[in-house]
Every structure is written in C-alpha cells, then in structure tokens.
C-alpha cells in the first residue's frame, strides 16, 4: 500500500526542531512533524501549586492550544468560547504526565516548570509533536536554571518523545498525518523514554477493534520511530551555539 | 505478594450488576466493582447533534460525574464550580467511544442514546465499571426501542466491557481498588469487545516506565478479567423478569 | 376525592430511611418518600468560610443536585451546562437554613458540616425528603465527631423535617408526588422542628390564590405528617447497630 | 417597643410610586419603601421562550439586580463576577411568579413581558418593593399594548403587592428596614392579590422557630399593610396625566 | 445644518449634576447629559489589589453597567448572560484611566477608590457623562476621607471631564445624542483635565476616514464643551450644603 | 535623546511581512515589528452573524490572542482562565473596526471574513502590527475569493495600517517597543488608510496629560511611519510568486 504522500509505512515525516524559537521563555522550541508545527515553551515560575505546599518538591504542568486557523476549517477560539474542550484537556494532561515521567521533581526545588504547546499549523500528530518538542524546551529551561546555579544536579533522568501509529485496512502506518488519521481504523499514541520504557500507550479503535498481534506490530513500529526522534533530540541538544 | 484485601493478583473484586435500578430511564443499571458503585443510565432522546443533521444515522454520547462525597475526601461539586474537570471530560469521552464501538449508529435512526454514569461510591475503577455497566443499560434502552418497534434490527454488534490492571513493584494486579491504584507504578485500562477485540488500551506509567513484556502480561491478565465480565453481562441479560 | 395512587388525602407515601448508605461520608443516608430517592451525606470539613474567620464558631452549608435521568425526561447535567439553575440554588439554600436552625454552630468548633443531597430518582418532594434525610446524616456526622471526642456537647438542639402539602381543586393533599404537584393549585413546603416550631413556610399559588383558612388547613395537615416523620427519625436513630 | 425609627409596629414606611420614571420602557416605575428605592420596568418583547412554542400564549419573566453600592458595603457586581447569586435568582423567580399570578398569559398573545427590578438604594424589603412596583410597570406596559390595539381585552385580573413582617423578640413589626431585618428572629414575605388571596407566603425563622399563632399575627399585620399598598397602587394608576 | 433637537452644532445638551444622590456611597452623583442619566458612586474600600501589595500606594478602579432597559430596545442583563461585553470592559477601563490621571495614588494610602457608573437611561454619551460625574463622586469620597482625617493632603490634582464630538456629513457636532451618534461618520471622545491637558483622545471613523484638519476642528469644539463642564463641576462642588 | 536600541526618534523598527505563512487559511501572514511577531490569518466563512440576516451584505470580525509565553513573564492562558481580558476585547474590536473601514461589506456577499491575530512574541506594538499584517492577510483571502470567482469586484477600497507613537519626557518616539511603552508618558495608536485618512486615533496619557501641540507632533510622526508601512504592504503584495 502506498501512502498518499509517497511515504513508506515505516517512514516518519521530516522532523525539524528549532531551539530558541521565541525569546522570552527559558526554553522555546518550534517542532515540525511534516506540516504539523507546534511552538513548545518551558517557563520557570517561582511558585508551586497549593497541593504541594510544604512537600519540598517542584512541579511541572502543561497547557495546549491550537490557533483557530491552524486547521483546515477554522475552529472556535477556546478563549472566546470560555472553556477548553475535552480534547484539549486530555492532551494537556497527557503532555504533563509524559514530561513528569522523566523529571525528578524533588531536584527542581519549589518552583513550577510550565509547558505551553501551541499549534501553529495542524496536520495530524499535534500531541506527539508537542511531547517531543516540549522535552527539548524543558531541557533548555533546566539548562537555564543550572547556568543561573539555581539548581545544581540535573533533574532530567531520561529523554522522552512520542509518535503515533495507525492501522489502515490492516496495514500499520507510522506517524499519521491528518488525512491518514481521519481514515484509519485504529489510532495509537506511544510515549517512550530514551531507554525504551513505555510511559503512555493510548490505543483507540476508531472503527474496528484491533488484535493483540496488531497492537504488537504497531508498538514495534512506534519504537523504531521513537529511536529516530531520540537521535534527533540528542543531535539538536548537542549543537553548542544554537 | 498478598493484596491488602486478600485478593489473589488475578482475582477481580465481587462484581454485581442490578438492572432496572431507577425507574425513569430506558436503561438503568447499578454496577458494583467491590466498593465502587456507579449508576449507569441510557436515555433515548429524539434528537441528534447538529453535526449529524442529514447524515441518516443516530448518535451515542456519555457523561460522567461523581457525587461530591463518593470519595474519601469530599470533592468540590462540578456544577457549583461551574465546570467539569479534565479528568471528568477524559472519562466521559472514553465511555462514549467504548459504547459507540459496538453500536451500529445507522441502525438506531435519527436519535441519541445518552449514557449517564454517576458514581455513588468510589473505590478505584470508576471508569471501567462505568463502561461495563453502561453496556447493560444500553442493551435495555435498545430493548425498549425494539419493544416499541421503533427499531427493528438489533444495532448492538457485540458486548463491551472494561477492567484495569496495575503494576505494583513489578507485580501485575487485576482490577485495582483505590489504595492499590494510588500506590502502583503503572495503571492500564483496557476496553474490549466480547470477541476479544481491543477497543481502548490506555496505559500510563505513574512512577516507573514499563516494558513491552510487562504490557503483555498486563494485557493477558486484563483479558482474563474481561472474560469474567462478559460472562456476567450475558448472565444478567439472560434473566427474564429482572 | 381519591388520589391517583389510592392514598388518603392525609396519608404520606411510604417513608424509608437507610443509614450508613455510602461508606466515606461521616453521615450518609438514603431517604425515600415513595418513589423519590435522595442520598444525603454530611461531611466534616476542617475549614470555615472566610466570612467566619475569627468568629469562634462553625458553619453548615448544603448543596443539592439531581442525576440527569432522575426525572421522567432527562435534564441537562448542571456540571456540563456550567451553572446551577435558580431552582437548585433555591433548594440548597433552603436545606442549609433548615439544618442550621437546629444546630448550635458555636458548639461544633471552627469546622464546616457540608450537606450534599443528590436525587437518584425524583417523584415530587425532593426538597422535603432532602431536609428530613439530611437531619439523620447530620446526626451521624455529629456522632462521629463526638465519638472522636472532637466535640463534647451535643450541638443538635432539636429534630428538623419537612413535608409538602398541596391544594387540588380546594382539597388539601399531604406529601405530593410529581403528578399531583404538577396539577395542584397551591404548593406549600413546611419545615418544622421536633417541638413543632415553624422554621420555613413556603407557600406558592401555582394557579389560584389561596385563603388564610386554606393555609391553616394545610398547615394542620403538614404538622400531622411531620409528626410521623419525627417519629421515624427517632426510631431510625435509636437503632443501635444500624 | 419603639422601633429605631419611631415607627409604630404596624406602620409602614412612607411609600412612593413614580410612574414613567425612565423613558424607553413600556412601563417604568420608581418605587420607594422608605429609603429602599427600586426601578421597575416592564418591557414588551415580541418573542416567547422556546418551551412555549406553539402553546398559543405569552409569558412574563423577571430579573432582579442591585447596583453594587446600593448597599452599606459595596457588593461585587454580578456581571463582573460572571454569575448571579442564589439570592438574586430566588428573588427574581419570586417576582416572576407573583406577577404571573394575576396576568392571563393567554390574553397577551405570543409575546413576553420582561420585568426588570434594579435596586438603586437598599434598606430592606427590596423584593417586596420590587413586586409592588413591578405591578404598576406591568399595568403601564399593558396599557401601552392596549393603546396600540395590539391586545384588546385587559389580561390583568387583579392587583398584586408584597410586604414583609418580622418578629423581633416576639413583637411583630410591619415592613422591616435593613437594621430590623438583620436583627429579627423571623422574616415573613407575603404576596397577595387585591382581593386578599395569598400568592406567596415565605416565612423563615432566622434565629428562633415561630409558632402557628405568631404566623397568624404576622399574616394579619401583612394584610393590613397590603391594603394600604393596594390603595396606593389604585391612586397612582388613577392619575391621568402622570 | 440644524440638529434634530434644534441644538446648535457647538451646543451641549442641558447638563445636571446631583450630589449625594444615594445614601450609602462615600460619593454618589446623578449626572444627566440631556436624556442620558448615570449614577456614579465612589466607594472607599480598605483593600488594595494584589499587584500593589507593598507598593505603598492606593488604587482607583471603575466598573460600568447599563440597566437592561436603559436603552430603546432591552439589552440582555450582563449578570444573567454571565459576562460583560467588550464594550462594557472598554468603557470601564477608560473611566478608570481617566480618573487615575488626576489622582495622586500615593496620597490616598493603601486603599481603593471603586468607581461604579450605572446607566439608568441612555441617549448617547454614557461614557463621557460617566467620567464627568465620577469626578464629582470621587471628590466627595476624598472629602469624606479628609473629614475622617484618614488622609490629610488632597490627592486630587486637577479636574477631569469628558465629552464627545461627531462629524455628520462633514459638520462637527458637540455632545452627540443617540440618534446623532448612530448616524455620524466619525465619533470622537475626549477626556481632558481642568488645565486643558489631554488625557484621552479616542476618535473612530465609523463610516468615512477623517482628516487631520477635521480632527483639529473637533478637538477645538470638544475643548469648548469641556470648559463648560469644568465650570459646572466647580459650581456644583462649591455648593456648601448640597 | 538616544533610544535604548539606538534608533532615531522617527525610526521604525525593522518591519517584515511574510505572506502564506501557514497553509490552511485563505490569507496567512507573519508580521514582525522588530521583536514583535504576530501571525495574522484571514478565514473565509460561509456564514453571517444573526444581526445581518437578510441585509444582503457580509461581515468582517477579528479575534486577538497572545501565546502565554509571548511575554517576558508568562501570562495566564485565556482559554484556561475561561474568559478574555478587557485588553484583549478592546484590541480585537479595534482590529475589526480598522479592517472594516476599508472593506466594502456589500461586495463580499453573505459571508464573513474572520481575522485572527495571534501574538507569538511580544515586544510592544502588538495591536498596530496586527492591523498592518491583517490587511495583507485580508488581501490574500479576497484574492482567493476572486480567483475562485466567488466575488468579481474588488471590495478592498484602500490600504490600512497602524503604528504607535509615544511621548517620553516630551520627546516623541515612533513605533515604541515594550520598554519604551512601559516608560512613556503618553501612548498614541494611529490607524490610517492608504490615502492618509484617519481611521482611529487612540491617545492615552499614561502619566502626564499631553497638549494639542504634542498631539499634532505625534500625528505627524505617525503619518511618516505609516507611509513606510503602506509602501511595504504594496511591495509585499506586488511580489508575484511569494
């Protein structure tokens, strides 16, 4: 089966990560999964949420949004509508959990790392791109704190990244774009750490239930894509003067 | 390892399903997973959402709520607070997707089946109990429509149920209660159809990333629990005069 | 005139009170006025509202809700709608005032008793059932505090209960169910203390204004029903091992 | 017992009704109960609420508000806060029911009379003043419709007015001002029609429960005050060129 | 060109300012620009907003509202709708800035002057009338604080007032009423201090862009009107026993 | 006086306009005023707002937002907070009026052009950059409609652009950045059409009132800057294959 964009089933879209994309945030990244473009920022906020008062640790939380016309049809602006959709809340909770899984909250002190992922252009995979990009932004915010000697030990324990896999008429496809995502029978989002531990497995049968074997095939494919993403994160972070 | 409640790792809590629990809804069920108690109703509403106008099909949607003191500490009432939490939205979206996966929306005509899952008492697993109970309520609402001869063909294509599995210090445990859920490293919620197709796989590493092998062990354990749930659903629905 | 359910005009529906209905709340009661079923919980919260800071007393407040399909036609979920209706607010204010009328707030210390009344099934009289049931839940929460020796003196100064009376074509009827309530000309809700003091008298001419004499007849009838309710509360609370 | 303002117990405050107070509304009245001042308008709106579609009748609804500094201490503006308080909702529901009790909704055609009661200065009794004043505004709006020959028959079937009575240390007092209202043990609001039918009886024991006899004494006192209010309404409406 | 109300182009509507209009606020004014009537109150609140904690100064803020039937067609009540419109927010921000421009916030101590402008009747120019009237209310609230010897030095540094000018088919018109405002091509609102310094210039081409020369002509006309308003403010404030 | 960034008082920051910046919107522009970066999109929506039903014309409306970390300190996300700030509403109303001033709404047919201006990075002048950039996005959306032959005649009647001028210690400065804006005494935003007609003049004395002469000097300076902006718009739009 050929994909509408001539990609092989196991081929990811071109991935780009641009560090220091905007100037105010302690970490700021533009990540592109093909035509999907997300600005991920990590802000250091010298406060902790009330439920952590006195717990001697910090926190990381995430918010997610889409520009109204990041999509093919304009979506209503959530700020104007007065509330965030269930989808938005679900995604921002996912991003927060994914990033917290590799961050030692005790080591960051009584402060909050606030992740913001804002989709500038959407073409499928905005949540997975957000996680992969937010990791780099988090890294840069932590570097900032270490440069300031606000924190000494590196609280980042591993890399984290995410990718989607779908089943289209039984054929697994890596890193779905919007058209593929709309048509596929199953949609699986995988978040993994750099040492290939699973952090999140979210598989949904959109049309047809899937088998254990199909799940395993998709997980294999995801793992391969994630290894490419981890390599890219390392390469980007190794660049000195970026 | 013994569980705090003397259950075996692969042992589910006592499950009870009471049909016709309240009198107004077309389908109304009390489901108990041990001390977790959820009222699931299925209401037939002779309207469809705007995005389906003219599509010649029906819809099923779900809402979820918890009584403020269903939990150990009283939670703020969402109606008083003025909005539903991200967790609530995530769960009700999950319930809706799970039920739609086995319902032929074209066969129910231009109407909506509204599922409401309200937790009376919470002790872990409220979302999985909601799905398993809502299936029975859905069945009864569909029976009502068939008795009325509003619909002829049975639009229910399979059973659907859900269960959780957790990893506690490497040990997989089936059907977590609240205390177990709070302590475990990984939490996996599985929704399956009666013929053992996967509908939803939602695994989250709460503390420690999990391996592919652990995922597979947990999936095996979930499948076993789900088979018990399917058997119970069939038994309950076979009862004539309930 | 015979009532549609064969009750005599002065006859209440069967009333049941089940203590310790759910397990987490300090007081938890299921009350049934015929087919009307309300879960009433009393939660002890170690905080006081801001306006009582430093006043050296406690507080009692109440919230009320209906499950969306507790009614004949499904009602919109208030949490999803984002606000409570005027009716809900009116009822929860009424419940709070009724319970505070027999509670010595100075004796409970700087804490709040939070009453929650959630209607599982509605058939008229949900507000009166809520008050009568919440009294028993309050009693149990206070017993809990006394068992803990958190408070010593009993701050409950009297019983409190509530019942409705209606006028249907000039005929007074005790404890209206939904069908009667929808048709009657006047609706009167009475809250009384155990020593027959009036706490709330809320009479509304739904269709035809009523006379002073009719008001007095209805009050007589209410008083008789309330005496039955007080006897039942005493009987239920006398049960040792409930 | 002398009242702090030298009024006799059965003496109302000076009542003034100014018709045509503002220029845009079909009916517009300033009503003063002593220092309590409320602008009551009745607006004719050529729409009916959705639940009356096709019912061949009209509707009357009411809204109530207080200017933020109508009170001794400034209250938060409800529009800024984003919601109306329970007290506001309760009062506007009361005003609506009171006015509907004397209006034949079938005779006004498929339109809505919208009552707005806005408190300019508060000193107790704002809800009772609102009802008494809104009746005059309603009258003028109906006159407007009759002058326009939009409706022919007079749909107003009787007068309606309201007054409060309180019990202060056993002494009933008519038409409470704010200081009296804050101190009294019981607060009773009575709405009556011109022919002395009861429309609303809302009695609340703020501190001490009240007896049937006290209720009757208060009702007697209210009736006397209401007769003065009916006479004033008639006098004001008889004035031709006002 | 003659105006529909026979005013000369440079003629303001009759302006009236009534001090001590309501009794609770420290400053309370009714201001009338012809048929436009606004109640302006200034309340002294012994709190400062969080962003000024420790700044050793006070604050002044303003809110604005319209009674629903202050206008020709009834507007939805913002409190019922659950939010303030963009227009309301824009106007209340303008009023706040205008008043702060002549108030030395360091001299008022750590307290807030809360301005409330509520439109009782609208006929164009409600924002300009609000500013002119709020200045007098502010003056009276400051006088109250000085009488109480809470503050010693007068923190009011100058007068402030506002007026509108419009361009109708090239003809500038002073102090537009609603009908003129609806028809004119350009609408200019000017806020000035007593010594003729500009505080706000807000000109909007509603239909046709305007030239620099037209702007200057309108500013000349506004200045003339403002001098009348300053004279009236001084006259009203000079009245001893008002 | 030298500016902190070595600009001459009459010198604008480097201005860049990138057309076709994102792929879904009919018009999509990135505009940069120095370090201020705004994505402006123009979406064609085949609906008109209710108040224009049957008016035989189209509409243009605008929304504005800032990414939470577009600013030096992270701002709360308006979608999470549940409402737009007064500042946001004021700016989006301004953008809408500015664009409507040069668009013949009768010529665009019964559709809406929805402008979205989202600030990616803020350094002063976000509202002026939004207007200048939105004009180009509008142009491209109109071109799209003309290419589709949906509309024939060009409904754009002129260019429109905006710039700010400030007074810092009496010295006028063109195109303020954030640091200048925070310190200046007066802030003036000017919107002009290509033929130098004034569309909006919004001058605010932040600290010290300004004189008529200062206003004129600032307007002269603004006009010079706007001529540069018009030239740039024309140049960018003349580029064929952009």
């Amino acid at each position: 089966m050929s994909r509408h964009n001539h990609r092989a089933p196991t081929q990811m879209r071109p991935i780009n990560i641009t560090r220091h994309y905007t100037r105010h945030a302690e970490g700021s990244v533009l990540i592109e999964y093909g035509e999907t473009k997300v600005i991920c920022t990590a802000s250091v906020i010298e406060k902790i949420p009330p439920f952590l008062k006195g717990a001697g640790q910090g926190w990381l939380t995430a918010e997610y949004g889409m520009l109204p016309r990041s999509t093919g049809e304009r979506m209503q602006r959530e700020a104007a509508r007065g509330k965030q959709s269930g989808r938005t809340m679900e995604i921002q909770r996912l991003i927060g959990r994914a990033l917290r899984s590799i961050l030692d909250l005790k080591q960051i002190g009584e402060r909050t790392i606030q992740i913001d992922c804002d989709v500038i252009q959407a073409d499928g995979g905005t949540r997975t791109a957000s996680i992969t990009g937010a990791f780099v932004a988090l890294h840069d915010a932590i570097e900032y704190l270490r440069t300031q000697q606000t924190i000494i030990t590196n609280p980042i324990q591993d890399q984290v990244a995410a990718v989607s896999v779908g089943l289209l008429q039984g054929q697994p496809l890596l890193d779905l774009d919007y058209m593929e995502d709309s048509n596929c029978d199953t949609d699986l989002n995988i978040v993994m750490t750099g040492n290939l531990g699973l952090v999140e497995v979210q598989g949904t049968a959109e049309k047809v239930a899937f088998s254990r074997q199909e799940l395993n095939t998709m997980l294999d494919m995801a793992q391969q894509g994630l290894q490419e993403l981890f390599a890219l994160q390392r390469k980007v972070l190794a660049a000195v003067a970026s």
Side-chain angles (χ1 to χ4, degrees), chain A:
Chain A
M1 175 187 296
S2 73
R3 303 172 82 169
H4 73 93
N5 49 14
H6 308 295
R7 276 198 281 158
T10 61
Q11 190 183 350
M12 296 196 61
R13 293 175 284 181
I15 312 292
N16 285 302
I17 298 176
T18 308
R19 284 167 77 193
H20 311 306
Y21 186 67
T22 57
R23 65 183 323 206
H24 297 302
E26 285 74 24
S28 174
V29 160
L30 175 73
I31 188 157
E32 296 163 88
Y33 274 35
E35 293 293 336
T36 288
K37 303 181 186 198
V38 186
I39 298 177
C40 306
T41 59
S43 301
V44 176
I45 296 173
E46 295 296 327
K47 276 199 297 198
I48 47 170
F51 70 88
L52 284 179
K53 282 282 150 63
Q57 68 163 92
W59 190 240
L60 178 146
T61 187
E63 288 183 1
Y64 168 94
M66 300 181 86
L67 295 204
R69 194 59 196 280
S70 59
T71 47
E73 267 188 79
R74 185 180 181 272
M75 295 164 43
Q76 208 185 348
R77 186 178 291 266
E78 290 186 330
R81 193 172 154 248
K83 63 177 178 177
Q84 294 178 297
S85 70
R87 176 185 173 278
T88 291
M89 294 232 226
E90 201 168 305
I91 292 175
Q92 62 194 15
R93 284 159 54 89
L94 171 67
I95 299 169
R97 287 196 308 270
L99 276 286
R100 282 193 300 272
S101 78
I102 50 88
L103 185 66
D104 185 341
L105 295 169
K106 291 218 187 324
Q107 299 289 346
I108 63 169
E110 292 203 332
R111 56 181 58 81
T112 297
I113 308 294
Q114 171 74 49
I115 302 294
D116 286 289
C117 298
D118 286 275
V119 179
I120 300 308
Q121 187 172 286
D123 186 34
T126 64
R127 78 188 71 190
T128 52
S130 292
I131 290 167
T132 305
F135 170 74
V136 179
L138 170 63
H139 173 279
D140 286 349
I142 293 295
E143 277 310 287
Y144 166 83
L145 288 171
R146 293 177 74 190
T147 306
Q148 301 285 313
Q149 300 198 294
T150 308
I151 62 175
I152 308 301
T153 326
N154 188 354
I156 297 183
Q157 301 169 318
D158 202 343
Q159 289 173 254
V160 69
V163 77
S164 70
V165 189
L167 271 184
L168 182 58
Q169 298 162 17
Q171 165 72 57
L173 300 174
L174 182 63
D175 184 29
L176 305 172
D177 66 21
Y178 179 74
M179 187 185 295
E180 292 169 338
D181 191 37
S182 308
N183 291 317
C184 73
D185 303 314
T186 291
D187 180 24
L188 181 72
N189 289 291
I190 301 293
V191 183
M192 269 189 160
T193 57
N195 60 13
L196 302 184
L198 288 160
V199 173
E200 294 273 344
V201 177
Q202 299 209 339
T204 296
E206 307 275 350
K207 298 193 186 108
V208 187
F210 53 102
S211 68
R212 289 285 298 280
Q213 186 179 329
E214 285 169 327
L215 175 63
N216 276 315
T217 309
M218 288 191 284
L219 284 165
D220 290 341
M221 197 179 264
Q223 185 167 320
Q224 175 209 311
L226 285 159
Q227 282 172 314
E228 291 179 38
L229 292 167
F230 292 132
L232 178 62
Q233 285 179 339
R234 282 191 300 267
K235 180 178 151 203
V236 165
L237 290 175
V240 177
S242 65

